[in-house]
Amino acid sequence: MSISTAASLLRARPGTGTAAAQPWQRTAAGANLLAADGNLGVTIFEEITALAGRHGAINLGQGFPDEDGPAVMLDAAREAIASGANQYAPGQGLPVLRNAVAAHQERFYGLHVDPDTEVIVSTGATEAIASALLALTGPGDEVLTFEPFYDSYGAVIGLSGATHTTVALEAPHFLPADGALEAAFTDRTRVVLVNNPHNPTGAVLPREVLQQIVDLAAKHDAVIVTDEVYEHLTFGPVHIPVATLPGATERTLTISSAGKTFSVTGWKIGWLTGPAPLVAAVRTVKTFLSYTSGTPFQSAVAVGLGLEDSYFTGAAAALQAKRDLLGSGLRAAGMEVLPSAGTYFVTADTSPLGITDATELARRLPELIGVAAIPVAVFCHAEGAQRTRSLLRFAFCKKTGVLNEASERLARLGGLL
């Protein structure tokens, strides 16, 4: 088959609008990957990573650590592999991990979940999010997220055929404006997807905003899906799971994973908890995506979830110090560093440098000073991209020496523009 013939098979079927687009096109459009001519574009992550490699730049664009997680977890994974735990785990997840997740929810948040009916293990949080949205939404529904939004949200919402609606998180503190949530909810809002702590901004939403989401979801009979993968990585504010709030438990699916908490992003072990009927619906879809994965890693993650409190507080404190280190370099570069109360990320405003297009600056930085970052605009729809056009996201989940070098390079930026 020729390339042109294969390409013709990917064209949208006759018709107009999003509904006529093929699933891959809806997915690409949702993730801002569909070019004006209808062809697939390159992600900004691929583009910036390639530029970083070409110029030997320090890549602070993608949010993955450059250090391994706890040795006891790594040893447990090796032991599991050596002992033969290399075949399919149950589709719902290994009992040892489901029990560990249930114990974790009770230990840290006082949430009581049944490991047999209210917990499933997924291939990272990304699969759990996709399974939930594909299970619960479709054409005619609306899925509400904050904006900026993690790119996989738009992709899966597009794949589902639902409409993606947003509420702006406004700089510098990245909170919704008064009345914005009420205006965004409608009787077509089927799911509100809440990322807290929030990627890419680093915001940790306060209790009053979270409770407002719960109250509006109840008013409009919507399901709340929460992405809480940075739950243990907050710097000052205490993480509040939405499911702990009055009126939330019966309509909330909570998602987290091992990748960020334990610096094992490559293991791709996540989990979802919530009311049994909702969990069963999600499991129905999840079963026919990956079915199961990561058998030896599941038991190792169970070990990690049982670590002493000092591990969790120590991990957050170490990241906070790295955030402050990188922040000093960004300020020396002449940027305004916006508050980051959690996650791996800090947002910097380039407008004090006279920059009006941070996306173009992001493409120049690897060659200009040997540091790579991601523009916040790529996490937004068109209007949001205009609002965030001067913002860059930097990842500080790197070794201290790497951040020191990045800070030194950043300090040279002002004299080169």
Side-chain angles (χ1 to χ4, degrees):
M1 182 183 293
S2 69
I3 293 176
S4 60
T5 299
S8 71
L9 296 175
L10 295 176
R11 292 175 187 154
R13 296 183 177 88
T16 58
T18 304
Q22 292 191 23
W24 75 269
Q25 290 172 309
R26 298 199 305 270
T27 303
N32 297 326
L33 293 182
L34 203 62
D37 61 3
N39 291 318
L40 187 63
V42 177
T43 73
I44 192 70
F45 298 97
E46 290 178 281
E47 182 181 357
I48 296 300
T49 296
L51 287 170
R54 185 181 310 157
H55 298 290
I58 297 172
N59 191 351
L60 303 184
Q62 289 187 283
F64 59 86
D66 57 3
E67 297 178 277
D68 279 333
V72 65
M73 289 179 64
L74 307 182
D75 291 342
R78 283 188 285 264
E79 183 179 345
I81 292 170
S83 65
N86 301 304
Q87 309 308 324
Y88 294 128
Q92 192 175 353
L94 289 179
V96 66
L97 179 52
R98 287 188 278 113
N99 280 289
V101 168
H104 170 276
Q105 295 302 88
E106 183 160 7
R107 169 186 170 190
F108 286 98
Y109 310 124
L111 287 168
H112 306 287
V113 296
D114 184 339
D116 294 325
T117 62
E118 297 180 331
V119 181
I120 52 175
V121 176
S122 58
T123 305
T126 303
E127 188 196 33
I129 294 163
S131 299
L133 293 178
L134 293 174
L136 301 174
T137 69
D141 295 326
E142 294 177 354
V143 179
L144 177 61
T145 75
F146 287 114
E147 187 179 44
F149 52 84
Y150 183 56
D151 55 354
S152 83
Y153 300 171
V156 178
I157 294 167
L159 177 60
S160 76
T163 299
H164 187 183
T165 60
T166 63
V167 171
L169 293 178
E170 299 188 349
H173 297 289
F174 296 109
L175 294 174
D178 290 344
L181 276 165
E182 293 95 331
F185 270 87
T186 75
D187 288 338
R188 293 175 59 197
T189 303
R190 175 59 176 151
V191 166
V192 52
L193 174 53
V194 182
N195 178 205
N196 183 49
H198 184 262
N199 174 15
T201 68
V204 176
L205 299 175
R207 181 179 296 271
E208 54 268 26
V209 171
L210 298 176
Q211 186 64 60
Q212 186 180 23
I213 292 169
V214 174
D215 295 342
L216 288 166
K219 177 180 177 181
H220 293 279
D221 197 26
V223 176
I224 304 168
V225 177
T226 69
D227 175 356
E228 303 183 14
V229 297
Y230 295 100
E231 60 185 316
H232 289 293
L233 303 178
T234 62
F235 319 127
V238 176
H239 173 64
I240 302 170
V242 171
T244 63
L245 298 175
T249 305
E250 64 272 16
R251 65 177 62 253
T252 301
L253 290 168
T254 302
I255 295 168
S256 193
S257 75
K260 306 303 191 296
T261 298
F262 301 111
S263 297
V264 288
T265 59
W267 287 13
K268 296 298 292 181
I269 301 296
W271 51 86
L272 176 147
T273 64
L278 291 177
V279 170
V282 175
R283 183 183 174 189
T284 301
V285 171
K286 179 253 181 294
T287 295
F288 298 103
L289 294 178
S290 68
Y291 175 58
T292 188
S293 60
T295 301
F297 300 129
Q298 289 191 29
S299 56
V301 170
V303 172
L305 289 175
L307 290 174
E308 295 181 356
D309 289 0
S310 58
Y311 169 77
F312 299 93
T313 56
L319 265 181
Q320 182 173 354
K322 293 180 177 183
R323 177 204 64 178
D324 295 345
L325 172 59
L326 180 59
S328 66
L330 294 169
R331 291 185 185 92
M335 302 184 201
E336 179 186 359
V337 178
L338 304 184
S340 169
T343 76
Y344 282 171
F345 306 108
V346 63
T347 301
D349 189 348
T350 64
S351 59
L353 293 168
I355 300 296
T356 59
D357 185 352
T359 301
E360 183 57 33
L361 179 62
R363 293 187 171 110
R364 295 176 59 199
L365 282 178
E367 181 176 12
L368 192 63
I369 59 169
V371 175
I374 296 293
V376 174
V378 302
F379 299 98
C380 300
H381 293 149
E383 183 179 344
Q386 277 296 108
R387 187 179 59 252
T388 60
R389 63 189 179 277
S390 66
L391 304 182
L392 288 176
R393 187 194 76 170
F394 292 82
F396 50 81
C397 51
K398 309 297 179 181
K399 294 176 182 176
T400 299
V402 171
L403 295 174
N404 274 320
E405 176 62 25
S407 294
E408 291 177 7
R409 296 182 185 187
L410 283 162
R412 301 196 295 265
L413 178 61
L416 299 173
L417 294 176

